[in-house]
Amino acid sequence: MARLYYLLSVAQHRVSTVANRGAEQELGLSAAQLGALFVIEKSPDLRQSELAKALSCTKPAVTSLAQRLEDAGLTERRPCPDDGRATRLRLTRKGKRVVQKGKAHVATLQAMLCEGYSDEEIAVVARFLGTAIERFE
């Protein structure tokens, strides 16, 4: 039990490394950029501040991330009609195509993670990780 933190840390690092490498090679994006696209796809016209919260990062980091996504032609930023200081994000057609390719990349990672485990075992791991996320929010 004492090694649980260590194992979780090493696993997170290795999965992130492989995810980043694959996203860079297959899509020309970082895993963080791909994750942002996934969040924006689920919530079109998302405020940048909402994206920051969803990704657990700072507003300045999201501003930079949003700029890179816009520069790549994957998103567009629009002024928020009810708050002149806020900006809303939406996927472009190109962004939607990249999201679909990204889903295939994530499915491959998911298969690697789940290989050799039953649905019941995966459910226990998912419950454990969900609880950890809530406890350390």
Side-chain angles (χ1 to χ4, degrees):
M1 197 63 123
R3 290 179 34 102
L4 192 55
Y5 175 81
Y6 169 76
L7 293 171
L8 186 59
S9 180
V10 171
Q12 184 274 333
H13 177 74
R14 289 188 183 175
V15 170
S16 292
T17 299
V18 170
N20 243 332
R21 189 178 317 125
E24 288 281 348
Q25 290 172 349
E26 295 175 28
L27 306 167
L29 300 173
S30 69
Q33 290 170 320
L34 183 58
L37 292 177
F38 288 156
V39 172
I40 296 166
E41 180 202 30
K42 286 184 179 179
S43 302
D45 290 325
L46 185 75
R47 289 183 187 207
Q48 282 187 200
S49 59
E50 295 167 329
L51 180 60
K53 183 176 180 180
L55 297 175
S56 298
C57 63
T58 65
K59 290 178 185 177
V62 162
T63 299
S64 176
L65 177 62
Q67 185 63 56
R68 288 192 307 275
L69 293 173
E70 187 176 39
D71 290 347
L74 301 172
T75 62
E76 56 186 19
R77 292 189 281 183
R78 297 180 178 173
C80 180
D82 52 319
D83 181 352
R85 299 167 296 155
T87 304
R88 294 194 179 270
L89 301 166
R90 175 178 286 251
L91 294 179
T92 61
R93 284 189 184 105
K94 180 180 177 183
K96 291 176 184 177
R97 287 192 303 270
V98 169
V99 164
Q100 293 312 307
K101 291 179 185 176
K103 287 180 180 180
H105 171 66
V106 170
T108 299
L109 293 172
Q110 183 84 359
M112 289 172 65
L113 285 168
C114 295
E115 185 178 345
Y117 295 96
S118 70
D119 289 344
E120 293 80 18
E121 290 170 315
I122 297 300
V124 170
V125 172
R127 187 171 60 97
F128 168 80
L129 293 173
T131 300
I133 291 167
E134 289 175 8
R135 286 183 183 166
F136 293 96
E137 210 169 355

